[in-house]
Amino acid sequence: MDNSAYLVEVIAGLLYLPAALHLLRLAARTGQTPERLLGWAFACLGSSYLVYAAPIVLPLENVWLIFALLGRAAVSTGCVLVALFTRRVFCAGRPWAGAAVWGCATLMVNGLLVGALTGDIEGFSIANPGFWIEWLGQTLPILWLSAEALRQYRDARRRMRLGLADALLCNRFLLWGWFGVLQLGTWLCSLPMYFDYSQEGRFSAGMDLLVGGCEIVSLGMVWLAFTPPRLYRRWIESFDASGSRTELA
């Protein structure tokens, strides 16, 4: 694998950790649950990179399978927290939303168990049914977040035209939608990587680079959604209800 491509994905993985710390600090200050849920989700996703890398960096090759299992569990936990975030922010009060979270979690647990019991502890074999069960369980929360955020963005645009919503709120829904779409892109791009691995015994450098890039940009969307800089806020607020720019005061 091209080391530069691998480096991009490692950087993307490590960027989850400061993003998690920022969100958890924000949650401690505001007492808001959404920030806390997403903060712990990012902590799990970021720590999974460290868990996967530990046997390679340290002389721990003999326990690689244990670390691989822990890494998979960390990723799945992060995805469950993303589903909880979506339920809390976009689907509060909907009875089916809780069942959706449990359904995603059940898929992930069953996929991990099927893979482990049939010899694919790493979770890299696309020929193993456990791979697809786990992949589906991890992808559905991201797809759910994308769909809900973009639906809210569409509704907010309509309310803006009636003067019932401001541009900043509308843009925040759009940022969440882009975050979900970019994260969904990482899961879809991972499939060619696993196909290459099954054929060549290595991961595709191009797909690895694309996955890392999507993750980095998606984290930027979160930063803008939770703590938009003043200049960015003023730029968004300069758009009127019709979507055209107005002069900044």
Side-chain angles (χ1 to χ4, degrees):
M1 181 188 298
D2 182 7
N3 288 334
S4 62
Y6 182 71
L7 180 62
V8 170
E9 190 173 349
V10 169
I11 291 172
L14 293 178
L15 284 177
Y16 278 109
L17 298 177
L21 183 60
H22 172 71
L23 289 173
L24 291 173
R25 285 178 173 174
L26 186 62
R29 186 169 68 249
T30 63
Q32 296 297 313
T33 300
E35 288 92 331
R36 184 173 295 108
L37 288 171
L38 203 61
W40 281 115
F42 284 1
C44 289
L45 294 172
S47 64
S48 71
Y49 281 87
L50 299 180
V51 171
Y52 275 118
I56 301 172
V57 177
L58 303 173
L60 300 172
E61 290 83 357
N62 57 327
V63 291
W64 158 248
L65 292 180
I66 296 176
F67 277 79
L69 196 60
L70 291 174
R72 292 173 65 186
V75 172
S76 291
T77 302
C79 291
V80 170
L81 288 166
V82 169
L84 288 170
F85 169 85
T86 303
R87 185 189 69 168
R88 176 67 182 238
V89 174
F90 299 107
C91 302
R94 299 183 192 175
W96 59 265
V101 174
W102 278 106
C104 292
T106 300
L107 284 171
M108 287 179 249
V109 171
N110 286 338
L112 193 151
L113 289 175
V114 168
L117 292 174
T118 53
D120 183 29
I121 296 178
E122 293 175 310
F124 292 163
S125 175
I126 59 172
N128 191 296
F131 172 90
W132 294 103
I133 297 171
E134 185 179 17
W135 183 87
L136 181 62
Q138 293 171 342
T139 305
L140 284 176
I142 309 300
L143 180 62
W144 184 18
L145 171 59
S146 305
E148 291 293 343
L150 292 175
R151 182 183 64 81
Q152 291 285 356
Y153 170 69
R154 180 199 62 195
D155 293 345
R157 287 285 298 173
R158 292 174 179 170
R159 292 196 299 270
M160 272 185 64
R161 297 189 185 99
L162 300 174
L164 301 176
D166 59 41
L168 197 59
L169 175 64
C170 185
N171 178 255
R172 188 171 292 120
F173 288 131
L174 180 61
L175 290 171
W176 283 121
W178 273 112
F179 167 77
V181 168
L182 289 163
Q183 284 285 320
L184 185 60
T186 68
W187 293 102
L188 294 176
C189 289
S190 70
L191 291 180
M193 291 174 59
Y194 288 116
F195 276 108
D196 280 349
Y197 185 83
S198 66
Q199 298 293 323
E200 307 291 338
R202 61 180 178 82
F203 290 112
S204 164
M207 287 295 101
D208 209 51
L209 182 63
L210 187 56
V211 167
C214 285
E215 288 185 305
I216 290 173
V217 178
S218 73
L219 290 174
M221 299 298 104
V222 173
W223 175 62
L224 288 175
F226 276 117
T227 53
R230 181 178 300 177
L231 182 62
Y232 180 80
R233 291 200 305 269
R234 292 190 65 192
W235 177 66
I236 293 299
E237 290 167 350
S238 70
F239 290 84
D240 61 21
S242 66
S244 61
R245 286 204 62 182
T246 57
E247 292 298 323
L248 289 175

